CSV table of all heavy atoms in Angstrom, one decimal:
chain,number,residue,atom,x,y,z
L,9,GLU,N,265.9,168.6,217.8
L,9,GLU,CA,265.0,167.5,217.7
L,9,GLU,C,264.8,166.9,219.0
L,9,GLU,O,265.3,165.7,219.1
L,9,GLU,CB,265.5,166.6,216.6
L,9,GLU,CG,264.8,166.8,215.4
L,9,GLU,CD,265.2,165.7,214.3
L,9,GLU,OE1,265.6,164.7,214.6
L,9,GLU,OE2,265.1,166.1,213.0
L,10,LEU,N,264.3,167.5,220.0
L,10,LEU,CA,264.3,166.9,221.3
L,10,LEU,C,262.8,166.5,221.6
L,10,LEU,O,261.9,167.1,221.6
L,10,LEU,CB,264.7,168.0,222.4
L,10,LEU,CG,266.1,168.4,222.4
L,10,LEU,CD1,266.2,169.7,223.2
L,10,LEU,CD2,267.0,167.3,222.9
L,11,PRO,N,262.6,165.1,221.8
L,11,PRO,CA,261.4,164.6,222.1
L,11,PRO,C,260.7,165.2,223.3
L,11,PRO,O,261.4,165.5,224.3
L,11,PRO,CB,261.6,163.1,222.2
L,11,PRO,CG,263.0,162.8,221.7
L,11,PRO,CD,263.7,164.1,221.8
L,12,GLU,N,259.4,165.3,223.3
L,12,GLU,CA,258.8,166.0,224.4
L,12,GLU,C,259.0,165.4,225.8
L,12,GLU,O,259.0,166.0,226.9
L,12,GLU,CB,257.2,166.2,224.2
L,12,GLU,CG,256.8,167.3,223.3
L,12,GLU,CD,257.4,168.6,223.7
L,12,GLU,OE1,257.3,169.0,224.8
L,12,GLU,OE2,257.9,169.4,222.7
L,13,ASP,N,259.1,164.0,225.7
L,13,ASP,CA,259.3,163.4,227.1
L,13,ASP,C,260.6,163.2,227.6
L,13,ASP,O,261.0,162.6,228.6
L,13,ASP,CB,258.6,161.9,227.0
L,13,ASP,CG,259.5,161.0,225.9
L,13,ASP,OD1,260.0,161.6,225.0
L,13,ASP,OD2,259.3,159.8,226.1
L,14,ILE,N,261.7,163.7,226.8
L,14,ILE,CA,263.0,163.8,227.2
L,14,ILE,C,263.3,165.1,227.8
L,14,ILE,O,263.2,166.2,227.3
L,14,ILE,CB,264.1,163.6,226.1
L,14,ILE,CG1,263.8,162.2,225.5
L,14,ILE,CG2,265.5,163.8,226.3
L,14,ILE,CD1,264.4,161.1,226.0
L,15,HIS,N,263.9,165.0,229.0
L,15,HIS,CA,264.3,166.3,229.8
L,15,HIS,C,265.9,166.3,229.9
L,15,HIS,O,266.4,165.8,230.8
L,15,HIS,CB,263.7,166.2,231.2
L,15,HIS,CG,262.2,166.1,231.1
L,15,HIS,ND1,261.3,167.1,230.6
L,15,HIS,CD2,261.5,165.0,231.4
L,15,HIS,CE1,260.0,166.6,230.6
L,15,HIS,NE2,260.2,165.5,231.1
L,16,TYR,N,266.4,166.9,228.8
L,16,TYR,CA,267.9,166.8,228.6
L,16,TYR,C,268.5,168.0,229.3
L,16,TYR,O,268.6,169.1,228.7
L,16,TYR,CB,268.2,166.7,227.2
L,16,TYR,CG,269.7,166.3,227.0
L,16,TYR,CD1,270.1,165.0,227.3
L,16,TYR,CD2,270.6,167.3,226.6
L,16,TYR,CE1,271.5,164.7,227.1
L,16,TYR,CE2,271.9,167.0,226.4
L,16,TYR,CZ,272.4,165.6,226.6
L,16,TYR,OH,273.7,165.3,226.6
L,17,LEU,N,269.0,167.9,230.5
L,17,LEU,CA,269.6,168.9,231.3
L,17,LEU,C,271.1,168.6,231.4
L,17,LEU,O,271.7,168.6,232.5
L,17,LEU,CB,269.0,169.1,232.7
L,17,LEU,CG,267.5,169.6,232.6
L,17,LEU,CD1,266.8,169.2,233.9
L,17,LEU,CD2,267.5,171.0,232.3
L,18,ASN,N,271.7,168.2,230.3
L,18,ASN,CA,273.1,167.7,230.4
L,18,ASN,C,274.0,168.1,229.1
L,18,ASN,O,274.8,167.4,228.7
L,18,ASN,CB,273.0,166.2,230.3
L,18,ASN,CG,274.0,165.5,231.0
L,18,ASN,OD1,274.8,166.0,231.7
L,18,ASN,ND2,274.1,164.1,230.9
L,19,GLY,N,273.9,169.4,228.8
L,19,GLY,CA,274.8,170.0,227.9
L,19,GLY,C,276.3,170.0,228.2
L,19,GLY,O,277.1,169.9,227.2
L,20,ALA,N,276.6,169.8,229.5
L,20,ALA,CA,278.0,169.7,229.9
L,20,ALA,C,278.6,168.4,229.5
L,20,ALA,O,279.8,168.2,229.4
L,20,ALA,CB,278.1,169.9,231.4
L,21,TYR,N,277.7,167.3,229.2
L,21,TYR,CA,278.1,166.0,228.7
L,21,TYR,C,278.2,166.2,227.2
L,21,TYR,O,279.4,165.9,226.7
L,21,TYR,CB,277.0,165.1,229.1
L,21,TYR,CG,277.1,163.7,228.4
L,21,TYR,CD1,278.1,162.9,228.8
L,21,TYR,CD2,276.1,163.3,227.6
L,21,TYR,CE1,278.2,161.6,228.2
L,21,TYR,CE2,276.2,162.0,227.0
L,21,TYR,CZ,277.2,161.2,227.3
L,21,TYR,OH,277.2,159.9,226.8
L,22,MET,N,277.2,166.6,226.5
L,22,MET,CA,277.3,166.8,225.0
L,22,MET,C,276.0,167.5,224.7
L,22,MET,O,275.0,167.1,225.0
L,22,MET,CB,277.4,165.5,224.4
L,22,MET,CG,277.4,165.6,222.8
L,22,MET,SD,277.6,163.9,222.0
L,22,MET,CE,279.2,163.5,222.3
L,23,SER,N,276.2,168.7,224.0
L,23,SER,CA,274.9,169.4,223.6
L,23,SER,C,274.2,168.6,222.4
L,23,SER,O,275.0,168.1,221.6
L,23,SER,CB,275.2,170.8,223.2
L,23,SER,OG,276.2,170.8,222.2
L,24,PRO,N,272.9,168.7,222.3
L,24,PRO,CA,272.3,168.1,221.2
L,24,PRO,C,272.6,168.9,219.9
L,24,PRO,O,272.8,170.2,220.0
L,24,PRO,CB,270.8,168.1,221.5
L,24,PRO,CG,270.7,169.2,222.5
L,24,PRO,CD,272.1,169.4,223.3
L,25,LEU,N,272.6,168.3,218.7
L,25,LEU,CA,272.8,169.0,217.6
L,25,LEU,C,271.6,169.8,217.1
L,25,LEU,O,270.6,169.2,217.2
L,25,LEU,CB,273.3,168.0,216.5
L,25,LEU,CG,274.2,168.3,215.4
L,25,LEU,CD1,275.5,168.8,215.9
L,25,LEU,CD2,274.5,167.1,214.5
Side-chain angles (χ1 to χ4, degrees):
E9 264 186 19
L10 292 164
E12 279 309 313
D13 63 335
I14 296 283
H15 303 293
Y16 192 73
L17 295 162
N18 211 7
Y21 169 67
M22 178 178 286
S23 57
L25 212 56

